[in-house]
């Protein structure tokens, strides 16, 4: 149901170079009944999906490592980030998207995924909803080296790590990516590994 206390009065596109950055002006009715005019910027890059591949026999997980410019700008001296496989929906449904991204990035072809939840990752400034999945993998599912798509500029390293080792990497700061931490903690809380 639409919130009747919010009325968008103006939307200006500030940038549509890579994705869309909008400046939105709106009127909001406060609890005391008065109206307030506010402006905020919202970055619309579409919705995405992420997945953690796990193996119950070897107690391992598949993660990736790649350069992420925003982390480099904000103090990550190498710019390299260890994270769960993820991608934008690109007009697919979340399940089809994550199966495609898994094969492109990790080289594993999976047929069965389990959606565990969805989350706004940075609701103060980004419109994206991220759909979270997990799936069991085996060596037989590896059909390519992965690494991402060259035409998208991807240069992704595929990592197979022990589950316990990945959890320790959160403690040491080697893993700082929110979606990856959420997925690893889900596996831990649900006693999947």
């Amino acid at each position: 149901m639409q919130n009747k206390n919010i009325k968008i009065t103006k939307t200006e596109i500030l940038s549509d170079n890579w994705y869309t950055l909008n400046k939105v002006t709106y009127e909001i009715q406060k609890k005391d009944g008065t109206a307030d005019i506010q402006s905020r910027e919202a970055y619309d890059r579409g919705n995405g999906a992420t997945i953690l591949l796990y193996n119950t026999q070897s107690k391992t997980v598949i993660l990736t490592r790649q350069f992420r410019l925003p982390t480099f700008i904000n103090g990550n001296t190498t710019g390299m980030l260890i994270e769960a496989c993820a991608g934008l929906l690109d007009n697919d449904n979340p399940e089809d998207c994550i199966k495609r991204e898994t094969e492109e990035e990790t080289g594993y072809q999976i047929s069965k995924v389990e959606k565990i939840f969805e989350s706004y990752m940075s609701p103060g400034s980004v419109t994206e909803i991220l759909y979270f999945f997990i799936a069991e993998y085996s060596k037989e599912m590896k059909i390519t080296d992965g690494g991402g798509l060259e035409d998208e500029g991807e240069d992704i390293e595929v990592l197979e790590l022990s589950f316990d080792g990945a959890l320790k990497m959160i403690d040491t700061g080697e893993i700082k990516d929110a979606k990856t931490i959420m997925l690893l903690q889900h596996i831990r809380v649900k006693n999947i590994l």
Side-chain angles (χ1 to χ4, degrees), residues 17-32:
N17 183 29
W18 188 252
Y19 299 108
T20 307
L21 178 62
N22 289 307
K23 180 179 180 183
V24 180
T25 303
Y26 57 96
E27 184 177 305
I28 183 168
Q29 181 133 11
K30 298 178 359 182
K31 287 182 232 171
D32 66 5

Side-chain angles (χ1 to χ4, degrees), residues 51 54 112-117 132-135 186 192:
I51 191 166
Y54 66 92
K112 184 181 174 201
V113 298
E114 178 186 348
K115 181 183 172 198
I116 53 174
F117 53 82
F132 286 74
F133 293 89
I134 57 173
H186 176 83
I192 294 172

